[in-house]
Amino acid sequence: MSGFFATLKRIGSERDGWLGLAFTLAILVFALIGPLVGPDPNAIDIKARFAAPELAHLLGTDNLGRDLAARTSVGTRYALTLAVMIVVISSIIGSLIGIVAGIAGGWVDRAVTAVFDIVNAFPPLILAFALIALYGKGSATFVLLVTVVFIPQFGRMARARAQTLRNLSFIEAERMLAVHPVTIVVRHYLPNVAGPIIVLASMNLPVVIAFEASLSFLGFGVQPPNSSLGTLIKDGFVSINQSWWPTVAAALVLAIATLGATLLGEALRRVIDPKSTGAR
Amino acid sequence: MTDAIAISNAQLRFGETAALDGVSLTIPQGTCFGIVGESGSGKTTLMRAVLGLQKLDQGEIRILGKPLVHGRAALRERASFIQPIFQDPAASLSPRSRIRTLMNEVGTVLREPHAATHERLAVILGRLSLPPGVIDKYPHEISGGQARRVAIARALLMKPSILIADEPTAGLDVSVQGDLLNLLQDIRRSQNITLVVISHNLAIMRLIAENAVVMRAGNVIEGGEVGSLFGSPQEVYTRDLLAAWPSIRAVNTKG
Ligand SMILES: Nc1ncnc2c1ncn2[C@@H]1O[C@H](COP(=O)(O)OP(=O)(O)OP(=O)(O)O)[C@@H](O)[C@H]1O
Ligand SMILES: [Mg+2]
């Protein structure tokens, strides 16, 4: 794992990367440790409703007097969990499909590319409403939707890399030794496709976080009793006349999370894959 | 005895260029056979066709009497007959796998216990003067010359009866070139392998090959026993090729 720490060190040595790392770390601590040490996010205390930030409630309270710091950290954890899950699933599925298409060529390749094009032809929001109509709203639909939307991006990148790799001597040497095709894909294609895929995945994390927030804000994403950053912003928005704290707190965390992840993703790209331009 | 490789009327075009323009040749078993020709004459393309990496437009290739067919079952069978050593051997080792993993893969293909594979490997590594420690390295951690011998070791582990080496001495010191050729020759003799050597360097053909063909623009223009072929070439092209390579006076390893 020394490569992992070396990468971290190189990211930290750049100003943008350092900021990204710091923001991301702060968000991670907030999301992972906050729920463990903070007060109960669902404890209602009507007397203390709409409290401004104070020692007992670091970010104030909402319309039911629930602690906003606790609620936001749980919401952040939920949003991050969804985002990581989506990016991991779609990058693995996308890479495998892309590699197979790149190796197979011919009609398999044309079919896969056509499906990718069709999926990406729909604006994500339209696709979201279609899937919500089919499967109902909720986190599962959201995960399915965003995974489907992101698969083509990973797939295209993996396909292009696989097409290059296919003609390299070391892949041909594996084929000449009649090594099993699954072994060739897993052991010789995947690791050589992984670099740019990891970069793309990290650059997509903030996109997913923001997309989830916007869908949840519209009421189509995460459903109660779960709360995510988007639902927190929405809940705060409803009572913004009584108190602007809930909205600002959640929006601030959303901003730091997406900004941090974006800067980190950019820095990671410069370190891992300096040749690419980052264009999708 | 059936020929190791028999090619008849192999034709292959890449757009306008006829990379193979009706090549016919036969390579007898157990010999060392040379394919020479200038850059772009179609040597590598011919090798790739023989390996099944490149489909022919026309013509037929037989390996040990069996027509070359594409598909996984055929590939699996062919792998145990014929193995390549690619033009750039360092590039033929998967960059993110340890040499050990690459060697184990061969054992898996042969359905052989890893212990048995490594027993055979130890002998081969010794033969190629490779330290046993190389198997724990990644390809980028070994030298170019070592990578070449590792690639040869891996091919030999498959127990092929035919070995095709594309420019096996390219990029090597003249002093090391002779060593490598001697080594290949030794292995060929002791394991009764058919060795096909591709090169644009006629001098090395004189050193190790018994028979050779001269290729030009996708055609075989001349062929025969090396002594007479290069001793009294019939074609001007062959004479020109010969003139380009001052003969190297080295120990003749043929025989
Ligand atoms: N994949 C390909 N696509 C298009 N043209 C090709 C391809 N492979 C080879 N050629 C062309 O076919 C001809 C023969 O190439 P080949 O690589 O077989 O030559 P060679 O004799 O091995 O040369 P060298 O000594 O430089 O290795 C050349 O004109 C080359 O440009
Ligand atoms: Mg060549």
Side-chain angles (χ1 to χ4, degrees):
Chain A
M1 257 353 291
S2 71
F4 174 73
F5 289 109
T7 307
L8 271 192
K9 213 173 151 189
R10 280 171 66 191
I11 288 173
S13 69
E14 297 181 53
R15 194 186 40 173
D16 288 2
W18 188 88
L19 260 181
L21 212 54
F23 281 2
T24 306
L25 224 60
I27 290 293
L28 279 181
V29 169
F30 181 64
L32 300 181
I33 309 213
L36 302 178
V37 299
D40 177 1
N42 294 319
I44 298 176
D45 179 7
I46 296 295
K47 280 173 299 180
R49 67 198 299 250
F50 296 129
E54 59 187 15
L55 209 57
H57 304 292
L58 288 178
L59 290 175
T61 61
D62 68 0
N63 57 341
L64 296 176
R66 294 175 296 193
D67 183 74
L68 275 174
R71 289 187 69 71
T72 314
S73 75
V74 171
T76 309
R77 185 177 66 185
Y78 197 72
L80 288 187
T81 310
L82 280 187
V84 168
M85 202 158 89
I86 287 164
V87 166
V88 167
I89 298 175
S90 58
S91 60
I92 291 175
I93 297 179
S95 302
L96 288 176
I97 296 178
I99 290 173
V100 168
I103 296 174
W107 67 267
V108 177
D109 188 34
R110 283 196 297 278
V112 168
T113 313
V115 172
F116 284 175
D117 288 342
I118 291 169
V119 170
N120 277 14
F122 292 101
L125 267 179
I126 303 283
L127 208 58
F129 292 135
L131 279 179
I132 287 161
L134 266 178
Y135 298 107
K137 37 191 189 177
S139 315
T141 311
F142 175 75
V143 170
L144 178 70
L145 162 75
V146 187
T147 303
V148 168
V149 168
F150 276 81
I151 282 176
Q153 278 190 31
F154 292 107
R156 282 207 189 85
M157 178 170 271
R159 170 176 170 268
R161 296 292 271 219
Q163 284 175 335
T164 313
L165 290 169
R166 183 178 62 180
N167 296 316
L168 297 185
S169 301
F170 74 86
I171 294 290
E172 293 193 330
E174 297 300 318
R175 281 177 54 204
M176 283 300 96
L177 286 163
V179 174
H180 197 277
V182 172
T183 310
I184 298 185
V185 167
V186 172
R187 192 177 284 156
H188 303 292
Y189 278 93
L190 264 189
N192 291 295
V193 164
I197 291 289
I198 289 171
V199 170
L200 185 61
S202 71
M203 308 223 310
N204 274 334
L205 264 183
V207 179
V208 179
I209 295 173
F211 191 61
E212 180 274 318
S214 44
L215 264 193
S216 297
F217 181 79
L218 294 175
F220 295 113
V222 174
Q223 300 299 310
N226 290 320
S227 63
S228 77
L229 291 172
T231 56
L232 285 170
I233 296 176
K234 183 188 70 176
D235 293 347
F237 200 67
V238 171
S239 46
I240 198 153
N241 288 328
Q242 283 102 318
S243 164
W244 48 271
W245 263 103
T247 310
V248 169
L252 202 66
V253 172
L254 176 64
I256 295 178
T258 47
L259 184 63
T262 306
L263 290 177
L264 190 65
E266 272 295 325
L268 195 64
R269 180 181 66 70
R270 286 196 298 271
V271 171
I272 293 189
D273 200 19
K275 275 164 294 183
S276 85
T277 56
R280 300 219 186 91
Chain B
M1 196 156 62
T2 46
D3 288 314
I5 299 174
I7 302 169
S8 71
N9 190 31
Q11 295 187 27
L12 178 64
R13 305 189 72 86
F14 292 112
E16 288 294 286
T17 34
L20 299 177
D21 195 10
V23 173
S24 300
L25 57 86
T26 52
I27 301 176
Q29 276 188 56
T31 61
C32 179
F33 192 90
I35 300 176
V36 293
E38 63 185 352
S39 187
S41 55
K43 307 182 297 291
T44 299
T45 307
L46 187 65
M47 158 166 160
R48 291 172 54 82
V50 167
L51 293 170
L53 285 170
Q54 185 76 64
K55 279 188 180 149
L56 291 177
D57 294 342
Q58 250 186 61
E60 198 197 33
I61 296 175
R62 286 172 178 270
I63 294 168
L64 295 168
K66 292 196 174 141
L68 189 147
V69 277
H70 293 270
R72 188 166 153 69
L75 178 75
R76 168 67 189 81
E77 191 187 0
R78 198 159 60 242
S80 54
F81 293 153
I82 183 163
Q83 279 299 316
I85 296 164
F86 287 106
Q87 203 159 350
D88 181 357
S92 70
L93 301 173
S94 186
R96 296 186 196 252
S97 302
R98 284 183 204 279
I99 313 283
R100 177 190 295 280
T101 312
L102 297 178
M103 297 298 180
N104 285 344
E105 280 181 346
V106 180
T108 307
V109 169
L110 294 174
R111 297 173 199 281
E112 180 185 51
H114 282 341
T117 308
H118 281 271
E119 214 166 280
R120 292 195 299 119
L121 181 61
V123 176
I124 296 174
L125 291 181
R127 193 80 185 272
L128 295 169
S129 333
L130 281 165
V134 287
I135 61 169
D136 287 313
K137 305 216 161 153
Y138 286 95
H140 65 88
E141 295 172 333
I142 60 178
S143 75
Q146 283 179 330
R148 194 179 300 258
R149 282 175 286 152
V150 166
I152 295 173
R154 199 172 179 221
L156 289 176
L157 206 51
M158 196 72 193
K159 300 187 271 193
S161 43
I162 307 170
L163 205 56
I164 306 192
D166 196 355
E167 301 283 359
T169 59
L172 291 183
D173 267 345
V174 180
S175 58
V176 192
Q177 285 186 5
D179 291 347
L180 188 87
L181 292 175
N182 283 334
L183 189 69
L184 285 175
Q185 194 71 300
D186 272 3
I187 290 166
R188 176 182 77 76
R189 283 207 212 96
S190 62
Q191 319 214 353
N192 198 24
I193 288 175
T194 307
L195 178 64
V196 182
V197 175
I198 295 174
S199 182
H200 57 281
N201 183 337
L202 294 188
I204 76 164
M205 292 306 170
R206 284 188 152 165
L207 272 179
I208 68 167
E210 285 136 33
N211 296 291
V213 290
V214 179
M215 283 187 72
R216 178 193 193 180
N219 281 298
V220 169
I221 58 162
E222 200 170 359
E225 192 265 319
V226 165
S228 56
L229 179 63
F230 299 143
S232 51
Q234 301 302 301
E235 297 281 334
V236 179
Y237 174 77
T238 311
R239 263 176 253 156
D240 289 349
L241 273 181
L242 272 171
W245 290 102
S247 63
I248 50 175
R249 289 183 210 292
V251 200
N252 193 330
T253 61
K254 262 181 276 169

